[in-house]
Each structure stands twice: as structure tokens, then as C-alpha cells.
Amino acid sequence: MENMMKTDQWQEDAQEEIAEAESDPQEETECHILLPLLNTPFVPGHCLEAVETIKDPKDHDIAMGEYYYFTGHPEEAVKAMEPYLANEDTALRLSACLVYAYANLATGDIRLARHALSEIEKTFDDVSKEADASRERKALVTFAAAMAAVLLHLPLKSDRAFSEEKLMLLPPGLRFFACYVQAHHAYLQGQYERSLGNVEMALAFQPQLYPIPTIYLRLVAVMDYMALKQSEKAKEQMLIAWELARPDGLIEAFGEHHGLLGGVLEATLKKDWPKEFKQIISITYNFSGGWRKVHNPDTGHDVADNLTTTEFAVAMLTARGWTYQEISSHMGISIHTVKFHMGTVIGKLGLEKKSDLKKYMLR
């Protein structure tokens, strides 16, 4: 199995950067880092050590909040981010609002999630109007606004789209995550080959291993391959992402990507990692429940909220034209079981025909 992220050279590069950070006692400055953990390279299994290399105490607090979130502990993430929601520093405030918004989706507090999302929008609008705002600062607020919109499957306004110039103004880790946001947006538009191209380009030019952005890039590739009915390639990408995430327990991303990812999770992780699979399913229920409470009212779509993850996965594939035999082979369950799940789906949603499924499914 090809795995470009696991080369010895990249691991050596990540270790060198961590060592440099440890040996460089920089003074605290007013210029902070947006999502510092996401923007930090590290060797899988050493995520907490990477957090400890961040010397600025405020950036360290934010990085710990990210760690809580990405390891599936949203309550701790909320507490870590609360002190920074109104901070005067743009990077600290946006970091806190981004993590706080998604963590509150997982905890079910939609009011607080919406508050954080509105603060991101306000910051974007304010900085966009500043005549003396630097190009780098404008790129950061564009990144935050695009991330907030795309990952909630909300319409992406033209002024929040990433140009090549803005992309290159971001630090490396954020640049790779911005590539993921672009790939996810292309996926939502049904441009699966383009999305895969964005993923492949980002991974090919990644100079060292940034595990968190890379996990997200691989997971959008899973969804692309599933949409293209290339289930074996989807499973391969899933296992690559899992090997990056598993040593540090970075399971949140797997729970966030509900829908087409669900069937691949069952096919690849359920048997060999049952405990972790259950944790991911729990994250999926909690996160998707909060996600729908923002997504459905804001878009007018009625994505189903009363299906189990297995039922949703079967329904997603059926809505995309997969036959019961194809679903059976992919998920490793019998055709009888597939039909049983579809019968339950039709009953829960009150459908008269299978073609009505599409309006209740994610794109």
C-alpha cells in the first residue's frame, strides 16, 4: 500500500522541527499562531509532545484545546477555548471560535456554536474593511471563514474562496488544511476528480508530515472514491488515515465525516478496532446531531436525523445508485441485511419510493 506520509525522511524532518522549537526560547509576542497544533508537524504518537514544544502560553492553551477536540473530548475543548473568544489578537480569537463552534456542535449547544460562527463572520468583515490590513492577515480570516462555511456544507461566498495567492500566504500546516477545505468544497459540488486532484497535489508537495491536515485530506479522498464507486481505493485511503490518527487517538475527524464515510468505517475498522469504532460512532451521533441543527435551517435541506449510522450509510449508497449487491460487498454484510436496513429507512422517513431518498441524504 502506497503511503507517502510515512517515509523516514518526513519523520526526520518533523523531529528536527520539534527539536528546533524546543531549543529556541523565543519571547512571547503579540503575533500569535492560528490553530497552532494543526499547523505543527510531528511524528505520529508524539502529538502531546508537539503541543509541549509550543512555548507561548496562549498558543499552548489553544493547542491543548485543539488536542482535546481532535481526540474527541469536546467538553474539555470548550473550556479551553472560552477565555479566548473575545481576545484582541485575531489569531487567538479565530482559533478559539473555530474550535469552540465545532466542539459545541458535538456537545449539542447550538446557541454557543452559532455565537462563535457569527464572531468568525464579524472578524472576516472587519478585517476585509481595514485599509491597512496585511495580506497575510486577510488570508487568515479568509481561511477561517471558508473553513466555517464549507465544513458545515453552507454556501461559500465568492469573497471567501481561496485564490492561489492567499493560499501561499498561509503557514504550511494551515495551507494543507486549506487544501482540504478546497477539496471538500469540490466534493460538495460533485467535482470528485477535481477534489482528488487537490488532495494528491497537496500530499505531493507536503515537505514534512502535518498529521492533522493529512488525516482530513485522506478522509475527503475516501468520500471522493466512494462517490466514484471505487470502494477498494476508498478503504485504502481510510486505513492510511487511520494509521496516522490511531497512535494519538485523533479520532474526531472520522466522526465528523458522516455519510459516505460510514460504510467504509464499518468495512475497515469495526472488526479489528471495535472499541475505537464505537467511540467514532458516538462522535458521529453527537456531532451530526448538532451539525444538522445548523445545516438544515440555514440551507432549507432536510438531512435525516433519525437514522442509525449503518442505516444512513446504506441509504446514502442507495441514493447514489449503488445496488444492494454492491452495498453488501462493500460493507461486508448480507444482501438480506441491506434490504432490512433499507426497509427500516423507508419506514422511518415515510418514503413512498427509493428515489425520494436523495432529499434526506448528504451530498
Side-chain angles (χ1 to χ4, degrees):
M1 182 187 299
E2 181 182 359
N3 188 345
M4 291 183 292
M5 293 95 62
K6 296 175 69 176
T7 64
D8 292 339
Q9 184 60 52
W10 282 4
Q11 291 200 353
E12 290 173 8
D13 289 343
Q15 288 172 325
E16 288 175 8
E17 186 150 337
I18 291 171
E20 288 172 6
E22 290 175 338
S23 62
D24 184 14
Q26 296 179 347
E27 296 294 327
E28 182 179 354
T29 70
E30 294 181 358
C31 183
H32 294 278
I33 302 168
L34 181 65
L35 298 172
L37 179 57
L38 189 148
N39 195 47
T40 297
F42 59 88
V43 177
H46 298 271
C47 186
L48 271 177
E49 292 174 30
V51 172
E52 293 309 313
T53 68
I54 299 172
K55 300 303 181 182
D56 184 290
K58 294 178 181 178
D59 288 334
H60 180 273
D61 288 348
I62 295 292
M64 276 305 303
E66 292 177 80
Y67 175 77
Y68 291 139
Y69 178 72
F70 290 124
T71 54
H73 298 90
E75 293 85 0
E76 288 85 348
V78 166
K79 291 177 184 177
M81 296 306 179
E82 278 178 344
Y84 295 98
L85 293 174
N87 195 280
E88 293 183 356
D89 184 272
T90 302
L92 290 175
R93 184 170 67 256
L94 286 177
S95 297
C97 286
L98 283 166
V99 176
Y100 192 79
Y102 287 100
N104 274 298
L105 292 180
T107 62
D109 199 324
I110 307 308
R111 180 183 62 84
L112 294 180
R114 284 191 177 278
H115 171 74
L117 292 169
S118 66
E119 185 61 35
I120 294 167
E121 284 292 300
K122 182 179 181 298
T123 301
F124 174 84
D125 290 338
D126 290 346
V127 173
S128 298
K129 295 172 184 176
E130 291 178 7
D132 59 347
S134 68
R135 294 188 305 156
E136 289 78 8
R137 192 157 176 253
K138 288 185 176 180
L140 286 179
V141 298
T142 301
F143 166 82
M147 177 178 169
V150 171
L151 303 193
L152 286 170
H153 296 198
L154 302 177
L156 182 63
K157 299 176 183 178
S158 59
D159 58 354
R160 290 151 176 76
F162 261 97
S163 63
E164 188 66 24
E165 178 187 8
K166 285 184 178 179
L167 188 68
M168 297 309 296
L169 289 170
L170 296 173
L174 295 187
R175 191 182 312 151
F176 292 124
F177 199 84
C179 290
Y180 157 74
V181 173
Q182 287 183 319
H184 199 141
H185 185 244
Y187 164 81
L188 293 175
Q189 303 304 308
Q191 300 171 354
Y192 309 123
E193 290 87 354
R194 178 185 172 190
S195 178
L196 281 170
N198 287 343
V199 171
E200 291 168 1
M201 183 70 71
L203 294 175
F205 286 94
Q206 187 175 197
Q208 52 191 312
L209 180 57
Y210 290 83
I212 295 173
T214 304
I215 290 166
Y216 277 82
L217 281 163
R218 293 289 182 176
L219 292 180
V220 78
V222 172
M223 297 193 300
D224 288 324
Y225 280 124
M226 286 300 295
L228 294 169
K229 285 193 173 184
Q230 298 182 37
S231 59
E232 290 307 311
K233 288 186 177 181
K235 292 173 184 176
E236 181 178 313
Q237 293 295 318
M238 173 68 80
L239 290 172
I240 293 173
W242 182 240
E243 287 306 310
L244 277 177
R246 186 166 59 90
D248 296 292
L250 299 171
I251 61 175
E252 177 65 32
F254 297 82
E256 286 179 12
H257 292 81
H258 44 294
L260 279 183
L261 208 69
V264 189
L265 284 168
E266 295 217 9
T268 56
L269 303 188
K270 186 174 183 178
K271 179 181 177 181
D272 293 332
W273 294 278
K275 179 181 176 181
E276 292 86 348
F277 176 77
K278 288 181 179 179
Q279 291 174 327
I280 292 170
I281 295 304
S282 177
I283 290 171
T284 298
Y285 278 127
N286 293 333
F287 183 87
S288 62
W291 177 90
R292 289 181 178 95
K293 290 177 183 177
V294 173
H295 172 269
N296 287 3
D298 286 7
T299 63
H301 298 160
D302 191 23
V303 175
D305 62 359
N306 60 343
L307 305 180
T308 69
T309 53
T310 301
E311 290 165 357
F312 199 93
V314 170
M316 277 282 290
L317 296 174
T318 301
R320 287 172 175 268
W322 287 51
T323 67
Y324 288 163
Q325 178 61 62
E326 288 172 329
I327 297 171
S328 169
S329 298
H330 167 64
M331 295 183 66
I333 57 180
S334 69
I335 293 178
H336 174 77
T337 301
V338 174
K339 291 180 178 179
F340 173 80
H341 286 310
M342 270 307 303
T344 303
V345 168
I346 290 171
K348 284 185 176 182
L349 299 181
L351 304 180
E352 294 184 0
K353 51 186 183 298
K354 286 193 296 184
S355 60
D356 292 336
L357 269 175
K358 289 186 178 181
K359 67 181 181 180
Y360 294 101
M361 297 294 106
L362 296 171
R363 283 180 289 179

